[in-house]
Amino acid sequence: MTTEHRYVVGIDLGTTNSAVSYAEIQSQTSEKKANPPIRTFHVPQLTGPGEVTKQPILPSFLYLPGEYEISKESLALPWPTSNDRISGAFARDHGAKVPARLVSSAKSWLCHDRVDRRAKILPWGSKESVGKVSPVQAATAYLTHIRRAWNHAHGNDPELVLENQAVILTVPASFDEVARDLTLEAADQAGLAGVTLIEEPLAAFYSWLIRNEKEWRRHVNPGELILVCDVGGGTTDFTLITLRETERTPRFERLAVGDHLILGGDNMDLALARRIESVFTEKNITLTGDRYKMLCHQCRQAKEAILGGKRDTAAITLMGEGSRLIAGTVRTELARSDVEETVLEGFFPLVTNNGERRGVERKGIGEFGLPYETEPAITRHLGEFLHRHREDAKVFTGRDSASPDLILFNGGALKSPLIQERIREAVRHWFGITDTTVPRILKNPNQDLAVSLGAAYYGLVKTGLGVRVGSGSARSYYLGISRSSAEEDAGTEAVCLVERGLDEGSDIELKDLDLRVLANQPVRFDVFSSSYRSGDRCGNILPVDESFTRLPPVQTVIEFGRKGKQATIPVRLEARYTEMGTLSLWCRSQTTDHRWQLQFQLRDANEVVEVSDEMVLEEGEVSEVRDVVRSAFSDKSDPQATTTLVKRITGLLDRKKEAWPLTLIRLISDDLLELSERRKATQDLESRWMNLLGFCLRPGRGDGFDARRVKALWKIYKPGPIHTKNPQVRSEWWIMWRRVAAGMGPGHQRQISQDLSAILITGKGKKKRIPAQEQLEIWMLIANLEQLLAKDKIRWGKQLLSEIGTPTASPRLLWSISRIGARELLYGPTDRVIDPEEAFRWCKKLMGISWRTPKHILPAISSMARKTGDRIRDLTRPQYNEILKWMSTFKEAAPYMKPLEEVVPFAVEEENQLFGESLPSGLVLHD
């Protein structure tokens, strides 16, 4: 951040509202001047048809109007636009009436790792004809609107346009690296390259400093803990800050940042909507997906009005649909008591610290596809956050408790004084405090603008103005090194990369440390931390002892040269401990211009690594097994060696094939990939090579180097099998690709699908005749291609249904149709699930067949109708009732009916059943 920029601009890209603040950067002179004032940029936006108004916030909603729905003249803005998409207040208000065309909560979708965040999936559940956008495109749209509005207001002067200013963009503290990178991608697509990120709770605290820059010592005493509690529309963030005594002057330091929680105002709106829906259900009124979205938007408006003190009751009116537009209209009221009970008791209950931390739970899926927290109690998450960081508090303050002395409330969900008071009460209840005056509140009068104001202030801090909040690391971090390439020496020493207390945002110099890295082969970087070692400095090389805690390693391949030959490269390390709590480490070659980057997420990475394998083999056993494998596929091997190979390995390990540990089978797969040429020798060798490789590399993901292995295997896909006339070879070929499909990218899966269309889908020409066994294997492969688009899956499903017409249909075909039409995918993104109406049609057709035994049809129907909690993917209540009625005629149906009556997480046995065979021990595909 330099004074070459005219302005520093803070942008709060919020889930519900976005805001922009700015300050003019003064020229640096020898005379110290006062900080420039920070102002709010009022964003021009449509507030009605043909009505443009400047507003202090830009609601984070995007409306996608139909072709003839609204005249283009009434959507005109003061600046040229390239499309008719509407951002802001009018989008929010008009879209509440036409929810199928309204994009909301795009920020929450940016951190949803079960969907393709660059795919056009929003509005979630809407038809393709709407012209959907991706989460990244939605975020881009808001930032583009802000950029154009700013530039128009400044006359499009090249010196003053937003892309030439110092832009600070805010993100939740709990955003992971992928979500942050996607935020930067959206900014870049909006024309804002080179922005700086800051975390929202820290920005909120900076906004408090703006108002108290001269008198903060009156409010905060050294050693006190400040909790920033930030609950917005989509996320909940916690941050701990303390005021620390130093030799010169007290300084603010950040101690801890909370976990990623998709939990906020949206969840409260959904809870209120469910409450009202239960009233409608009692009156036999069923809500479609669009009407339910409409209900959620009205609940949001009612909640804000009631908790904001504007009214005591709010009317809820849902218009009818189609020909029953007027006759189908339903009305009810939401009272203050309903809102307070739902919000306070559901999200801010009083919970007690019993000394136990809950285990990691799988994310719940909300009504509209987002992975919401299964535990809605924000106060429980808060208590566990404070309990978890008591050691950090002790390191910096000397206290045994992380009970906050002060709280700064931020976020639209915490505007209500009633909720703020409940959180204070919950903190006292958690820590057993009787003094009702604590924790004290740091006033935050404008929570809609606080984050953008603080972001702009942070920009001033980067130029040397204002009061800086230090974000020193509570631990020191180390990188494992070895004096030689000998495996027995690896990890016995470590170089200090981040010393305890180092400020986030610091560059780390390691100029005098000469190292070598291994290129073009799998390598592992061991990472360690220590919370109590002191005196270690960046660049120190130290022996690893019990004072070090091992963290999850980084496994990667340093690519070097075109031919990919293994090499040892002399490098020097360059590092930066970023504002986001990430250690960015570069290995710079000392002989070429090459530079490789590794990233380590250090926040809360203080747990000892758990070994996923149930057994760890002695190195001699591993070597013996690998020797047996290489010998069986060698030039001089006995033709019968591969026939008895599995039996010999089982005997050496005294363990069944399914129980071979993951580390071993991946090493075997590496050996088999190196021996790929040997499969050409005989059809038996090729068949057994594919069978063993597919088994050892299944499911294609789960180990750090699996992507590289699948990439190496893909090189033989186009050439195909060698001995194509052998039926066993052809079957093993498809089995191998089915087993590793989870490790393929969408492009590879699409390629396979296109190639198989000519074989299985009837066109103008005749279908190719293939043996029944091979055809079954092909269908099972297609069923495991979960990254195919939903429309392609529907095409495949219809073709498969045409071949399942009798009670004697193969159980494998029923397994295949159940995977293609599944409501909950095993590893694929959620946006690749087929439409529930289509899935129900498939279920009805299958239920119309008189099956001789329900053994295979019941799990197939259960998979295609399984409840997910996402009402966009789930069937309707009448459809569930019809299926449950059919199932009830079978005495074996009870376990298959349960997933249709409530949301049931996958069990390990179910994952194995869905995959088609057992997964490697300790490996879980479904998050």
Side-chain angles (χ1 to χ4, degrees), residues 502-540:
L502 183 71
D503 274 344
E504 291 180 347
S506 298
D507 290 314
I508 302 166
E509 295 186 6
L510 301 165
K511 294 180 179 179
D512 299 328
L513 188 64
D514 293 329
L515 298 171
R516 290 175 294 163
V517 296
L518 304 177
N520 301 318
Q521 57 187 298
V523 291
R524 164 179 165 148
F525 293 87
D526 289 320
V527 187
F528 305 89
S529 74
S530 179
S531 59
Y532 54 89
R533 288 181 63 91
S534 60
D536 295 343
R537 296 292 177 259
C538 296
N540 290 167

Side-chain angles (χ1 to χ4, degrees), residues 50-70:
E51 179 182 295
V52 176
T53 309
K54 294 180 179 179
Q55 301 279 355
I57 59 172
L58 177 74
S60 302
F61 293 83
L62 186 68
Y63 188 73
L64 314 174
E67 186 174 358
Y68 304 108
E69 179 187 354
I70 309 174

Side-chain angles (χ1 to χ4, degrees), residues 626-638 641-643 645-646 648-649 668 671-682 684-693:
R626 297 182 71 181
D627 287 342
V628 168
V629 172
R630 286 191 288 260
S631 175
F633 287 95
S634 70
D635 295 337
K636 301 178 182 180
S637 66
D638 181 341
T642 56
T643 305
L645 180 57
V646 172
R648 292 175 65 191
I649 296 175
I668 293 175
D671 292 334
L672 291 171
L673 286 168
E674 288 184 13
L675 295 166
S676 175
E677 289 296 309
R678 283 294 298 145
R679 67 192 173 93
K680 298 177 180 179
T682 68
D684 184 63
L685 271 176
E686 181 171 29
S687 174
R688 296 187 183 281
W689 180 87
M690 290 189 295
N691 180 279
L692 186 57
L693 177 59

Side-chain angles (χ1 to χ4, degrees), residues 601-619:
Q601 181 54 249
L602 300 184
R603 292 244 178 96
D604 295 324
N606 57 345
E607 303 293 335
V608 178
V609 180
E610 295 183 2
V611 179
S612 60
D613 285 338
E614 291 182 356
M615 61 181 288
V616 179
L617 299 178
E618 193 273 323
E619 190 61 32

Side-chain angles (χ1 to χ4, degrees), residues 450-470:
V451 169
S452 68
L453 290 166
Y457 184 84
Y458 174 68
L460 295 178
V461 169
K462 297 279 279 184
T463 68
L465 301 172
V467 179
R468 182 183 180 90
V469 177

Side-chain angles (χ1 to χ4, degrees), residues 425-479:
E425 185 181 0
V427 169
R428 292 195 297 269
H429 188 74
W430 181 274
F431 288 100
I433 298 172
T434 57
D435 186 353
T436 58
T437 65
V438 297
R440 310 189 305 276
I441 294 178
L442 296 178
K443 292 183 180 179
N444 185 8
N446 197 334
Q447 297 188 36
D448 286 334
L449 302 177
V451 169
S452 68
L453 290 166
Y457 184 84
Y458 174 68
L460 295 178
V461 169
K462 297 279 279 184
T463 68
L465 301 172
V467 179
R468 182 183 180 90
V469 177
S471 42
S473 173
R475 300 174 182 83
S476 45
Y477 294 92
Y478 309 82
L479 181 70

Side-chain angles (χ1 to χ4, degrees), residues 781-814:
L781 164 59
I782 292 168
N784 204 25
L785 301 179
E786 289 193 347
Q787 301 212 58
L788 292 180
L789 295 174
K791 63 179 182 180
D792 294 326
K793 290 183 179 181
I794 291 174
R795 185 168 59 98
W796 279 117
K798 288 180 177 179
Q799 178 64 32
L800 180 53
L801 278 173
S802 70
E803 301 183 19
I804 305 176
T806 67
T808 58
S810 168
R812 295 190 184 185
L813 293 184
L814 292 175

